[in-house]
Amino acid sequence: MAAALAPGVAPVRARFLTSKEQFHAYLRAGGEEEEEEKEEKKEEEQVSEPPAKRVKAEELGQDGESQGNAGEEEKERPEKKRARGQNKSRPCMKPSCYEQSRLCPSVTQGCGGQCHFGPRCRFLHDVSQYLAAKPADLGQRCVLFDTFGRCPYGVTCRFGQAHLGDGHQNLVNASLVQQWEGKVLVRNGLSKELQQQLRKRKFSFHKAEEFLRGLRAGKGGRATGSSTEVSNCTDPQEGLRDSPVLQEQGEDPRPEALQSSQGAEGAPKPEVLPNSQGDEDAAKPEALQSSQGAEGAANPEALQSSQGAEGAANPEALQSSQRADGAPKPEVLQSSRGAEDTPKPEVLQNSQGAEDAARPEALQNSRGAEDAPKPEVVRNSQGADGAPSIPTLGPLTDEDITKLRPCEKKKLEIQGKLYLAPLTTCGNLPFRRICKRFGADVTCGEMAVCTNLLQGQSSEWALLKRHHTEDIFGVQLEGAFPDTMTKCAELLNRTIEVDFVDINVGCPIDLVYKKGGGCALMTRSNKFEQIVRGMNSVLDVPLTVKIRTGVQEKVNVAHKIIPRIREWGASMVTLHGRSREQRYTRSADWAYIAECARLASPMPLFGNGDILSYEDANRAMQMGVSGIMIARGALIKPWLFTEIKEQRHWDISSRERFDILKDFTNFGLEHWGSDTQGVEKTRKFLLEWLSFLCRYIPVGLLEHLPQKINERPPYYLGRDYLETLMASQNVDDWIKISELLLGPVPPSFTFLPKHKANSYR
């Protein structure tokens, strides 16, 4: 009982407390000692029962005789352990031997056995030889085959017996395959084409380079005008002087007009809209001429700028806005026609139909009869490599020529929602699926380093993947310089589907801090401002920022930075109530978070820190924050989202917790694969998560509720063996749990938690 009352130790009921030696002895015995004690108590109770009830005692006495041979079983246990070790024999996992034990992709991918490497290939090409060296299957059912009707891993699947037929043919469930046909389950993948463009540095960053040119010109990142907060969004000119805008005409179906800039004497100058290209090879403007009518008679109509009495633009006029230095900015027009070849009103062409009625068509230059080109629509803006930035089919979009003002951007409406924090290593896609099932509203991918994304690293792009169940999803970027962060933001804005982008200004680890990223940005205000303004200028989705209270323990600076972040254009701020030096050793300062929430208004501010129960969440919401972000609390008990929404303590059983782990394992096999490599990767991330799950103390064992996140769990015996095993802080016991789900580990398998503080060895 004294251990339960010690400071910093969770208050577990005295009858469940035990010593460290007894705890590990119980786990080594496999829970048999507890069963023996229960049987002895039952026999003692049955002896005092009436003779009519002693029949059951005699039946249980037979079990007692079998239990009485515990000494002989203890002698046999070392032999069983040795036999278990012998069954773990596997092929050597050295690179050369491991490659020779794997099947060549030319066989698994149905290439007819034709390998491009020929005799130099170090993989197996004989399926029978591969199956002879392949480790035993881990189960009789394959989650991929049961869910989708087909397992793409074929004979390499570690659950292959569920879908391999005669001649090692991969079976297919046609009804399930048809059910999932055409559905995209995971988005935001890295295509080979995009990866090649990034590696060869052929991806064009038009918006980012425009912002960086203004930055180098000494304009402080304000050249684009998009970072300036617009108070009156009805003013069409404020904040948009550097980009042409297609004036909206309400519900008028007529084509939108572009006005041409006038010369020095006020005479209109006809100009063409060239394709937007790179800065070094911009196309020269050509004169716009009207096309001929249906009978061949030319209908020249002067393209002029006519203004009303108060300077209103005429919808028939064509005007191209100029940049700050006077050079005309390239613009883009695209015609998109329907099934009946009906042109969209966004395309400009002066031509007459059969009934002499003008209708909008593609811009066409009228030339001689011998060299008259065919009418062509003005194409999308292209980069230096000629690749279109937006699709060339479909309705016209002006995203490439019209910059969105802050009020026009999609707003992040997540006030009052439960936000799952971006968690390094553990916040992977399978874990986020678990949290979504328990009620998480907003999810965010793991922290991704912007330089790795710009280099096209597959492992870094995997952090951006989004499951179709994640309805509100964002990604978090880490970087130290405005050029890489702005380019990365533009890259993601054009290639993936997200609802918001978050900047990591809270990472405390030395590897990030010493390079100027993470918390270091709080001390580099100029770079911080340039990053926020630059990313906001190229993004079409809201930009959020996650910060800490400061760098030093007793020097809070967040209250000074948050109002400036609002001015720079961020849509939301998340504040972790600790400094970098505190890490996770002290309690979060929610009083300071409440003060910062008042200063951030009207910008939403989410609070983060020390939320492990619905009482903690209720107290946090009373501080005036717009919502709460949950990080370690979700790792320790992912059903916390359910507790908050239902306002109750959930005394979840060990069997229910084990089912959660089983679901995570299935999600992991879907995401990482069911072959040997996918199984071991799933095991690795499962063990990382178990290093947090062991901190949970069941509700029925606590002296008083709720459990505090910084209270250390004492040694206790759970209500059954599985509950006790899940409470172990030993790595070997975590591996034992993984073996219950994914089979035995290879002999050379080792595991060290990434968060080394979680290993209590």
Side-chain angles (χ1 to χ4, degrees), residues 440-473:
D441 299 313
V442 184
T443 55
C444 186
E446 303 175 59
M447 180 189 74
V449 181
C450 65
T451 53
N452 296 341
L453 294 174
L454 292 173
Q455 294 170 3
Q457 294 185 13
S458 301
S459 59
E460 206 72 18
W461 276 82
L463 306 178
L464 310 179
K465 289 187 177 181
R466 172 183 189 174
H467 195 260
H468 70 93
T469 58
E470 298 180 273
D471 48 352
I472 305 178
F473 174 77

mmCIF file of all heavy atoms in Angstrom, residues 440-473:
data_model
loop_
_atom_site.group_PDB
_atom_site.id
_atom_site.type_symbol
_atom_site.label_atom_id
_atom_site.label_comp_id
_atom_site.label_asym_id
_atom_site.label_seq_id
_atom_site.Cartn_x
_atom_site.Cartn_y
_atom_site.Cartn_z
ATOM 1 N N ALA A 440 -12.240 9.647 -33.187
ATOM 2 C CA ALA A 440 -11.413 10.805 -33.533
ATOM 3 C C ALA A 440 -12.015 11.509 -34.747
ATOM 4 O O ALA A 440 -12.384 10.873 -35.727
ATOM 5 C CB ALA A 440 -9.980 10.368 -33.823
ATOM 6 N N ASP A 441 -12.116 12.837 -34.677
ATOM 7 C CA ASP A 441 -12.722 13.613 -35.758
ATOM 8 C C ASP A 441 -11.695 14.085 -36.780
ATOM 9 O O ASP A 441 -11.955 14.058 -37.979
ATOM 10 C CB ASP A 441 -13.454 14.829 -35.183
ATOM 11 C CG ASP A 441 -14.573 14.433 -34.238
ATOM 12 O OD1 ASP A 441 -15.354 13.534 -34.597
ATOM 13 O OD2 ASP A 441 -14.661 15.004 -33.135
ATOM 14 N N VAL A 442 -10.546 14.537 -36.313
ATOM 15 C CA VAL A 442 -9.516 15.092 -37.187
ATOM 16 C C VAL A 442 -8.247 14.268 -37.008
ATOM 17 O O VAL A 442 -7.849 13.972 -35.877
ATOM 18 C CB VAL A 442 -9.243 16.571 -36.855
ATOM 19 C CG1 VAL A 442 -8.248 17.174 -37.837
ATOM 20 C CG2 VAL A 442 -10.538 17.365 -36.851
ATOM 21 N N THR A 443 -7.627 13.895 -38.113
ATOM 22 C CA THR A 443 -6.377 13.138 -38.064
ATOM 23 C C THR A 443 -5.318 13.872 -38.869
ATOM 24 O O THR A 443 -5.631 14.648 -39.777
ATOM 25 C CB THR A 443 -6.552 11.716 -38.627
ATOM 26 O OG1 THR A 443 -7.088 11.792 -39.957
ATOM 27 C CG2 THR A 443 -7.485 10.900 -37.756
ATOM 28 N N CYS A 444 -4.073 13.620 -38.535
ATOM 29 C CA CYS A 444 -2.948 14.265 -39.210
ATOM 30 C C CYS A 444 -1.824 13.249 -39.350
ATOM 31 O O CYS A 444 -1.574 12.454 -38.442
ATOM 32 C CB CYS A 444 -2.468 15.486 -38.420
ATOM 33 S SG CYS A 444 -1.198 16.456 -39.261
ATOM 34 N N GLY A 445 -1.165 13.262 -40.501
ATOM 35 C CA GLY A 445 -0.070 12.340 -40.741
ATOM 36 C C GLY A 445 1.138 12.643 -39.871
ATOM 37 O O GLY A 445 1.229 13.700 -39.231
ATOM 38 N N GLU A 446 2.082 11.727 -39.868
ATOM 39 C CA GLU A 446 3.303 11.924 -39.096
ATOM 40 C C GLU A 446 4.122 13.079 -39.678
ATOM 41 O O GLU A 446 3.987 13.450 -40.843
ATOM 42 C CB GLU A 446 4.142 10.646 -39.116
ATOM 43 C CG GLU A 446 3.431 9.422 -38.597
ATOM 44 C CD GLU A 446 4.275 8.171 -38.755
ATOM 45 O OE1 GLU A 446 5.386 8.141 -38.207
ATOM 46 O OE2 GLU A 446 3.843 7.240 -39.446
ATOM 47 N N MET A 447 4.994 13.622 -38.844
ATOM 48 C CA MET A 447 5.854 14.719 -39.286
ATOM 49 C C MET A 447 6.720 14.267 -40.457
ATOM 50 O O MET A 447 7.426 13.260 -40.377
ATOM 51 C CB MET A 447 6.746 15.185 -38.131
ATOM 52 C CG MET A 447 7.675 16.323 -38.498
ATOM 53 S SD MET A 447 8.888 16.670 -37.204
ATOM 54 C CE MET A 447 10.002 15.262 -37.391
ATOM 55 N N ALA A 448 6.648 15.024 -41.557
ATOM 56 C CA ALA A 448 7.428 14.724 -42.751
ATOM 57 C C ALA A 448 8.441 15.840 -42.973
ATOM 58 O O ALA A 448 8.100 17.023 -42.876
ATOM 59 C CB ALA A 448 6.521 14.568 -43.967
ATOM 60 N N VAL A 449 9.673 15.477 -43.279
ATOM 61 C CA VAL A 449 10.738 16.454 -43.514
ATOM 62 C C VAL A 449 10.633 16.949 -44.952
ATOM 63 O O VAL A 449 10.607 16.152 -45.897
ATOM 64 C CB VAL A 449 12.117 15.832 -43.250
ATOM 65 C CG1 VAL A 449 13.222 16.852 -43.463
ATOM 66 C CG2 VAL A 449 12.180 15.271 -41.832
ATOM 67 N N CYS A 450 10.577 18.259 -45.140
ATOM 68 C CA CYS A 450 10.302 18.823 -46.460
ATOM 69 C C CYS A 450 11.407 18.500 -47.458
ATOM 70 O O CYS A 450 11.130 18.247 -48.633
ATOM 71 C CB CYS A 450 10.088 20.332 -46.346
ATOM 72 S SG CYS A 450 11.531 21.264 -45.815
ATOM 73 N N THR A 451 12.654 18.499 -47.019
ATOM 74 C CA THR A 451 13.747 18.211 -47.959
ATOM 75 C C THR A 451 13.667 16.778 -48.482
ATOM 76 O O THR A 451 13.959 16.530 -49.653
ATOM 77 C CB THR A 451 15.101 18.446 -47.275
ATOM 78 O OG1 THR A 451 15.146 17.703 -46.040
ATOM 79 C CG2 THR A 451 15.302 19.922 -46.969
ATOM 80 N N ASN A 452 13.262 15.844 -47.644
ATOM 81 C CA ASN A 452 13.117 14.462 -48.100
ATOM 82 C C ASN A 452 11.965 14.324 -49.090
ATOM 83 O O ASN A 452 12.041 13.538 -50.033
ATOM 84 C CB ASN A 452 12.901 13.531 -46.909
ATOM 85 C CG ASN A 452 14.095 13.497 -45.979
ATOM 86 O OD1 ASN A 452 15.199 13.877 -46.361
ATOM 87 N ND2 ASN A 452 13.880 13.058 -44.752
ATOM 88 N N LEU A 453 10.894 15.086 -48.881
ATOM 89 C CA LEU A 453 9.783 15.051 -49.822
ATOM 90 C C LEU A 453 10.193 15.623 -51.169
ATOM 91 O O LEU A 453 9.829 15.093 -52.222
ATOM 92 C CB LEU A 453 8.595 15.830 -49.259
ATOM 93 C CG LEU A 453 7.927 15.268 -47.999
ATOM 94 C CD1 LEU A 453 6.864 16.234 -47.497
ATOM 95 C CD2 LEU A 453 7.311 13.908 -48.275
ATOM 96 N N LEU A 454 10.955 16.709 -51.156
ATOM 97 C CA LEU A 454 11.399 17.314 -52.408
ATOM 98 C C LEU A 454 12.356 16.415 -53.174
ATOM 99 O O LEU A 454 12.475 16.533 -54.394
ATOM 100 C CB LEU A 454 12.063 18.667 -52.128
ATOM 101 C CG LEU A 454 11.141 19.782 -51.613
ATOM 102 C CD1 LEU A 454 11.943 21.000 -51.210
ATOM 103 C CD2 LEU A 454 10.113 20.154 -52.662
ATOM 104 N N GLN A 455 13.040 15.523 -52.485
ATOM 105 C CA GLN A 455 13.947 14.580 -53.133
ATOM 106 C C GLN A 455 13.236 13.336 -53.636
ATOM 107 O O GLN A 455 13.852 12.496 -54.295
ATOM 108 C CB GLN A 455 15.063 14.172 -52.163
ATOM 109 C CG GLN A 455 15.992 15.313 -51.788
ATOM 110 C CD GLN A 455 16.936 14.950 -50.658
ATOM 111 O OE1 GLN A 455 16.938 13.811 -50.181
ATOM 112 N NE2 GLN A 455 17.738 15.902 -50.224
ATOM 113 N N GLY A 456 11.951 13.202 -53.328
ATOM 114 C CA GLY A 456 11.185 12.060 -53.809
ATOM 115 C C GLY A 456 11.449 10.772 -53.065
ATOM 116 O O GLY A 456 11.340 9.688 -53.652
ATOM 117 N N GLN A 457 11.758 10.857 -51.778
ATOM 118 C CA GLN A 457 12.016 9.650 -50.992
ATOM 119 C C GLN A 457 10.698 8.935 -50.698
ATOM 120 O O GLN A 457 9.776 9.520 -50.121
ATOM 121 C CB GLN A 457 12.724 10.004 -49.689
ATOM 122 C CG GLN A 457 14.124 10.565 -49.877
ATOM 123 C CD GLN A 457 14.839 10.784 -48.561
ATOM 124 O OE1 GLN A 457 14.399 10.309 -47.509
ATOM 125 N NE2 GLN A 457 15.947 11.506 -48.596
ATOM 126 N N SER A 458 10.636 7.678 -51.082
ATOM 127 C CA SER A 458 9.395 6.910 -50.922
ATOM 128 C C SER A 458 9.011 6.764 -49.463
ATOM 129 O O SER A 458 7.820 6.818 -49.115
ATOM 130 C CB SER A 458 9.546 5.536 -51.572
ATOM 131 O OG SER A 458 9.843 5.662 -52.943
ATOM 132 N N SER A 459 9.995 6.557 -48.590
ATOM 133 C CA SER A 459 9.695 6.373 -47.165
ATOM 134 C C SER A 459 9.075 7.625 -46.556
ATOM 135 O O SER A 459 8.234 7.535 -45.660
ATOM 136 C CB SER A 459 10.977 6.001 -46.409
ATOM 137 O OG SER A 459 11.962 7.022 -46.567
ATOM 138 N N GLU A 460 9.479 8.803 -47.037
ATOM 139 C CA GLU A 460 8.916 10.042 -46.499
ATOM 140 C C GLU A 460 7.524 10.303 -47.071
ATOM 141 O O GLU A 460 6.634 10.768 -46.357
ATOM 142 C CB GLU A 460 9.846 11.213 -46.819
ATOM 143 C CG GLU A 460 9.742 12.373 -45.852
ATOM 144 C CD GLU A 460 10.358 12.057 -44.499
ATOM 145 O OE1 GLU A 460 11.152 11.105 -44.412
ATOM 146 O OE2 GLU A 460 10.035 12.758 -43.521
ATOM 147 N N TRP A 461 7.326 9.992 -48.342
ATOM 148 C CA TRP A 461 6.015 10.170 -48.950
ATOM 149 C C TRP A 461 4.994 9.208 -48.365
ATOM 150 O O TRP A 461 3.788 9.478 -48.401
ATOM 151 C CB TRP A 461 6.111 9.987 -50.462
ATOM 152 C CG TRP A 461 6.527 11.236 -51.171
ATOM 153 C CD1 TRP A 461 7.798 11.707 -51.324
ATOM 154 C CD2 TRP A 461 5.678 12.189 -51.809
ATOM 155 N NE1 TRP A 461 7.786 12.894 -52.016
ATOM 156 C CE2 TRP A 461 6.498 13.210 -52.337
ATOM 157 C CE3 TRP A 461 4.305 12.274 -51.996
ATOM 158 C CZ2 TRP A 461 5.985 14.306 -53.025
ATOM 159 C CZ3 TRP A 461 3.786 13.362 -52.687
ATOM 160 C CH2 TRP A 461 4.616 14.361 -53.191
ATOM 161 N N ALA A 462 5.449 8.076 -47.830
ATOM 162 C CA ALA A 462 4.515 7.137 -47.202
ATOM 163 C C ALA A 462 3.831 7.748 -45.994
ATOM 164 O O ALA A 462 2.735 7.322 -45.609
ATOM 165 C CB ALA A 462 5.254 5.855 -46.805
ATOM 166 N N LEU A 463 4.442 8.765 -45.379
ATOM 167 C CA LEU A 463 3.852 9.421 -44.218
ATOM 168 C C LEU A 463 2.654 10.285 -44.591
ATOM 169 O O LEU A 463 1.911 10.723 -43.712
ATOM 170 C CB LEU A 463 4.901 10.283 -43.506
ATOM 171 C CG LEU A 463 6.197 9.578 -43.097
ATOM 172 C CD1 LEU A 463 7.155 10.564 -42.459
ATOM 173 C CD2 LEU A 463 5.912 8.428 -42.152
ATOM 174 N N LEU A 464 2.471 10.552 -45.878
ATOM 175 C CA LEU A 464 1.386 11.418 -46.333
ATOM 176 C C LEU A 464 0.146 10.641 -46.750
ATOM 177 O O LEU A 464 -0.875 11.252 -47.083
ATOM 178 C CB LEU A 464 1.850 12.266 -47.521
ATOM 179 C CG LEU A 464 3.171 13.021 -47.367
ATOM 180 C CD1 LEU A 464 3.479 13.789 -48.645
ATOM 181 C CD2 LEU A 464 3.129 13.967 -46.177
ATOM 182 N N LYS A 465 0.210 9.321 -46.730
ATOM 183 C CA LYS A 465 -0.909 8.526 -47.224
ATOM 184 C C LYS A 465 -2.143 8.727 -46.350
ATOM 185 O O LYS A 465 -2.046 8.845 -45.129
ATOM 186 C CB LYS A 465 -0.518 7.050 -47.270
ATOM 187 C CG LYS A 465 0.489 6.743 -48.378
ATOM 188 C CD LYS A 465 0.744 5.264 -48.513
ATOM 189 C CE LYS A 465 1.689 4.983 -49.663
ATOM 190 N NZ LYS A 465 1.945 3.536 -49.833
ATOM 191 N N ARG A 466 -3.283 8.694 -47.030
ATOM 192 C CA ARG A 466 -4.557 8.993 -46.373
ATOM 193 C C ARG A 466 -5.548 7.875 -46.665
ATOM 194 O O ARG A 466 -5.798 7.549 -47.826
ATOM 195 C CB ARG A 466 -5.091 10.329 -46.891
ATOM 196 C CG ARG A 466 -6.500 10.682 -46.439
ATOM 197 C CD ARG A 466 -6.944 11.988 -47.075
ATOM 198 N NE ARG A 466 -8.197 12.492 -46.515
ATOM 199 C CZ ARG A 466 -8.732 13.674 -46.824
ATOM 200 N NH1 ARG A 466 -8.116 14.468 -47.687
ATOM 201 N NH2 ARG A 466 -9.868 14.062 -46.267
ATOM 202 N N HIS A 467 -6.119 7.315 -45.599
ATOM 203 C CA HIS A 467 -7.134 6.282 -45.767
ATOM 204 C C HIS A 467 -8.479 6.936 -46.062
ATOM 205 O O HIS A 467 -8.748 8.072 -45.642
ATOM 206 C CB HIS A 467 -7.229 5.420 -44.503
ATOM 207 C CG HIS A 467 -7.964 4.138 -44.702
ATOM 208 N ND1 HIS A 467 -9.285 3.968 -44.335
ATOM 209 C CD2 HIS A 467 -7.572 2.957 -45.253
ATOM 210 C CE1 HIS A 467 -9.666 2.741 -44.632
ATOM 211 N NE2 HIS A 467 -8.662 2.111 -45.193
ATOM 212 N N HIS A 468 -9.316 6.210 -46.794
ATOM 213 C CA HIS A 468 -10.584 6.807 -47.218
ATOM 214 C C HIS A 468 -11.527 7.101 -46.054
ATOM 215 O O HIS A 468 -12.466 7.889 -46.198
ATOM 216 C CB HIS A 468 -11.278 5.900 -48.239
ATOM 217 C CG HIS A 468 -11.796 4.618 -47.662
ATOM 218 N ND1 HIS A 468 -13.089 4.475 -47.207
ATOM 219 C CD2 HIS A 468 -11.199 3.415 -47.459
ATOM 220 C CE1 HIS A 468 -13.269 3.243 -46.755
ATOM 221 N NE2 HIS A 468 -12.137 2.583 -46.891
ATOM 222 N N THR A 469 -11.289 6.502 -44.888
ATOM 223 C CA THR A 469 -12.130 6.782 -43.723
ATOM 224 C C THR A 469 -11.747 8.081 -43.015
ATOM 225 O O THR A 469 -12.493 8.543 -42.146
ATOM 226 C CB THR A 469 -12.052 5.627 -42.728
ATOM 227 O OG1 THR A 469 -10.686 5.432 -42.334
ATOM 228 C CG2 THR A 469 -12.586 4.342 -43.344
ATOM 229 N N GLU A 470 -10.618 8.660 -43.359
ATOM 230 C CA GLU A 470 -10.159 9.902 -42.723
ATOM 231 C C GLU A 470 -10.793 11.082 -43.462
ATOM 232 O O GLU A 470 -10.254 11.569 -44.450
ATOM 233 C CB GLU A 470 -8.635 9.982 -42.749
ATOM 234 C CG GLU A 470 -7.956 8.856 -41.976
ATOM 235 C CD GLU A 470 -6.443 8.939 -42.016
ATOM 236 O OE1 GLU A 470 -5.854 8.406 -42.970
ATOM 237 O OE2 GLU A 470 -5.860 9.535 -41.096
ATOM 238 N N ASP A 471 -11.934 11.521 -42.963
ATOM 239 C CA ASP A 471 -12.688 12.563 -43.658
ATOM 240 C C ASP A 471 -12.066 13.944 -43.494
ATOM 241 O O ASP A 471 -12.158 14.781 -44.393
ATOM 242 C CB ASP A 471 -14.139 12.572 -43.190
ATOM 243 C CG ASP A 471 -14.260 12.549 -41.683
ATOM 244 O OD1 ASP A 471 -13.227 12.377 -41.005
ATOM 245 O OD2 ASP A 471 -15.372 12.700 -41.158
ATOM 246 N N ILE A 472 -11.445 14.231 -42.362
ATOM 247 C CA ILE A 472 -10.725 15.493 -42.161
ATOM 248 C C ILE A 472 -9.271 15.134 -41.872
ATOM 249 O O ILE A 472 -8.952 14.640 -40.784
ATOM 250 C CB ILE A 472 -11.322 16.324 -41.014
ATOM 251 C CG1 ILE A 472 -12.821 16.560 -41.239
ATOM 252 C CG2 ILE A 472 -10.601 17.661 -40.889
ATOM 253 C CD1 ILE A 472 -13.486 17.335 -40.123
ATOM 254 N N PHE A 473 -8.418 15.378 -42.838
ATOM 255 C CA PHE A 473 -7.033 14.885 -42.748
ATOM 256 C C PHE A 473 -6.063 15.978 -43.177
ATOM 257 O O PHE A 473 -6.325 16.730 -44.119
ATOM 258 C CB PHE A 473 -6.860 13.657 -43.649
ATOM 259 C CG PHE A 473 -5.445 13.153 -43.740
ATOM 260 C CD1 PHE A 473 -4.890 12.412 -42.712
ATOM 261 C CD2 PHE A 473 -4.669 13.426 -44.850
ATOM 262 C CE1 PHE A 473 -3.593 11.947 -42.790
ATOM 263 C CE2 PHE A 473 -3.368 12.961 -44.949
ATOM 264 C CZ PHE A 473 -2.821 12.219 -43.915
#
